[in-house]
Amino acid sequence: MTQEPGTDTHGTVEPRVPLAAARVVLAGLGVTGRALRGVLEPRVADLVTVDDRAADADHGALDAAAAAAVLAEADLLVASPGFPPHHPVVAAALAAGVPVWSEVELAWRLRVDRLGSGAPAPWLGVTGSNGKTTTVEMLAAILRAAGLRTAAVGNVGRSLVEAALDPALDVLAVELSSFQLHFTHTVSLQAAAVLNVAADHLDWHGSMDAYARDKGRIYERAQVACVYNVADPRTEELVREADVVEGARAVGFAVGSPSPGDLGLVDDVLVDRAFHAPADDPDRRRSAAELGTLADLARLGDHAGVVPTHIVADALAAAALARAHGVPAAAVRDGLRSFGPSEHRIERIAQADGVTYVNDSKATNAHSAAASLAGFAHGTVVWIAGGLAKGATFDDLVSSRADRMRAAVVIGADPGPLADTLARHAPKVPVVVIDPGDTETVMRRAVAAARDLAQPGDTVLLAPAGASQDQFVSYAQRGQEFARVVRELTGGTTDGHDGNEPPRS
């Protein structure tokens, strides 16, 4: 189905008055919320802030009646990702017919403010249960290699609403979470990708179908291409269900030989059969453009030099988005060669007594933890895991990756579900459960237990498969604490590898 940009059928989305005359309620004063406040204050008639914890908010925690009173006079609610649809403030807005916008929607509406020397910068968007950050940062590296002024923004890096107003940027590489997409109504990306869909954040969305639908919203009003994962049929289904701009097409990526119209891998070469259409082969049936080789991704491989399948998939998705923007094949290669890993993604922290310690704290769901464990095919792993499950289960993760585990160390305020799953599906794997009572020492006790269980040649891997907020401020703080404790307890080194340039997922 096709439609023109700027239309939407998802409830009330337009304030009853222009934004400049609107009374706006801003829900959430975290990092995103404070950036939103700075942008909104000079642009609206009245701004009211609500946050359960921020001392400088106009209102703290509100029950249903108090929330209804606050929203009664509002023209618009802008909600940070931490406010799900069932939160009293959001529920009150929906009940009163007050439009609810995400940061993404607001940024899209305000992007015209940066007009002056040309049209607003187009957006290339990425979502998925696993691999979003890797893919969007690869995409930014490719765009920079093409000489474009860009930034990786959204759910990573710089605030999207600030970047959208920056006239110095030519194109945005945007990471989008399902939370951000839920209240996004009129965004029209130049090209969009859903990398994969696996159970996550079910406590926020309510069901797997609702979660998938919100992921699929990234494709709505796509202008050039909807990029999907051939190995994940649900992503193709989301493309089929999307209303897109006339002429936009579906482009698949596959870690294998691609069909005409897709990107893929032939032997060790990444190839494009979607955007490469020479005059003598307009249907792309006989020819393909070479985008790079696995050697260009070697720095992202494991210690045996093998590039994990999910890294190749991420690279192909990033390449597809860049090609949809018109980036030449040579820039894809150069961008992938220049791409370097970052913190909390398969980050090699140290090696001591023959044991390697790796931080993948950003593996916050079962799907990403499974991908992390799969990357260690050439040795066994002492797995440190646990945290907020967000409504997901661990059965498939443990049963499919038990062969990689020498032992497991379970952390989290409620370690029972993961420990029970290990007992059912990996009964031969030794399990140490860390008493959650003293949260300040939980990581020290976990790393000490893992060190005692590990043998030379093993990897101690922090890949939690859960969110961090039960015991840590964020996944970043959890990863930083892991790295700090590892270095203190082992006195280990990175054996000549720069700790800022490890393999990553």
Side-chain angles (χ1 to χ4, degrees), residues 130 134-135 255 307-315 346 371-372 374-375 504-505:
N130 184 36
T134 299
T135 303
V255 184
V307 181
T309 299
H310 61 280
I311 291 290
V312 181
D314 294 346
I346 311 295
S372 186
R504 120 186 202 163
S505 74

Side-chain angles (χ1 to χ4, degrees), residues 383 385-389 392-395 398 409-425 431-436 470-471:
W383 181 37
L388 293 173
T393 60
F394 306 104
D395 297 80
V398 173
V409 178
V410 181
I411 61 175
D414 182 13
L418 180 54
D420 292 345
T421 304
L422 284 160
R424 287 197 308 273
H425 296 293
V431 177
V432 173
V433 176
I434 301 300
D435 184 345
D470 58 338
Q471 294 182 310

Side-chain angles (χ1 to χ4, degrees), residues 105-280:
E105 181 68 17
L106 178 67
W108 181 257
R109 303 281 189 127
L110 293 180
R111 78 198 192 288
V112 295
D113 285 4
R114 54 152 279 170
L115 283 172
S117 58
W123 294 8
L124 304 172
V126 179
T127 194
S129 301
N130 184 36
K132 296 186 295 294
T133 300
T134 299
T135 303
V136 80
E137 290 181 346
M138 280 182 172
L139 172 60
I142 293 168
L143 295 170
R144 284 192 291 268
L148 297 167
R149 300 172 300 174
T150 190
V153 298
N155 202 39
V156 61
R158 185 178 177 186
S159 163
L160 176 56
V161 74
E162 293 174 344
L165 298 174
D166 187 347
L169 296 176
D170 298 316
V171 57
L172 301 185
V174 187
E175 178 183 335
L176 296 172
S177 71
S178 56
F179 303 155
Q180 293 168 310
L181 286 163
H182 183 83
F183 289 117
T184 296
H185 311 291
T186 64
V187 173
S188 177
L189 300 179
Q190 185 179 50
V194 179
L195 304 177
N196 40 62
V197 179
D200 197 12
H201 303 301
L202 302 189
D203 54 343
W204 200 98
H205 294 276
S207 71
M208 183 65 187
D209 285 343
Y211 171 64
R213 282 195 302 272
D214 281 338
K215 288 292 188 189
R217 292 178 69 78
I218 197 172
Y219 291 135
E220 297 295 322
R221 297 162 295 276
Q223 300 169 22
V224 175
C226 297
V227 179
Y228 69 93
N229 184 349
V230 172
D232 188 338
R234 193 154 199 169
T235 64
E236 184 176 10
E237 180 183 343
L238 294 174
V239 174
R240 295 184 186 280
E241 294 173 349
D243 289 339
V244 302
V245 174
E246 185 70 40
R249 57 196 176 99
V251 175
F253 63 90
V255 184
S257 182
S259 300
D262 294 346
L263 280 73
L265 184 69
V266 178
D267 296 326
D268 66 343
V269 180
L270 282 68
V271 298
D272 169 15
R273 298 186 69 186
F275 302 98
H276 177 71
D280 61 347

Side-chain angles (χ1 to χ4, degrees), residues 78-95:
V78 179
S80 296
F83 285 71
H86 57 268
H87 189 282
V89 171
V90 181
L94 295 174

Side-chain angles (χ1 to χ4, degrees), residues 28 39 44 104 106 126 137 143 207 232 264 305 356 382 392 400 451 464 498:
V39 168
V44 303
V104 180
L106 178 67
V126 179
E137 290 181 346
L143 295 170
S207 71
D232 188 338
T356 302
V382 178
S400 65
R451 177 192 58 185
D498 184 343

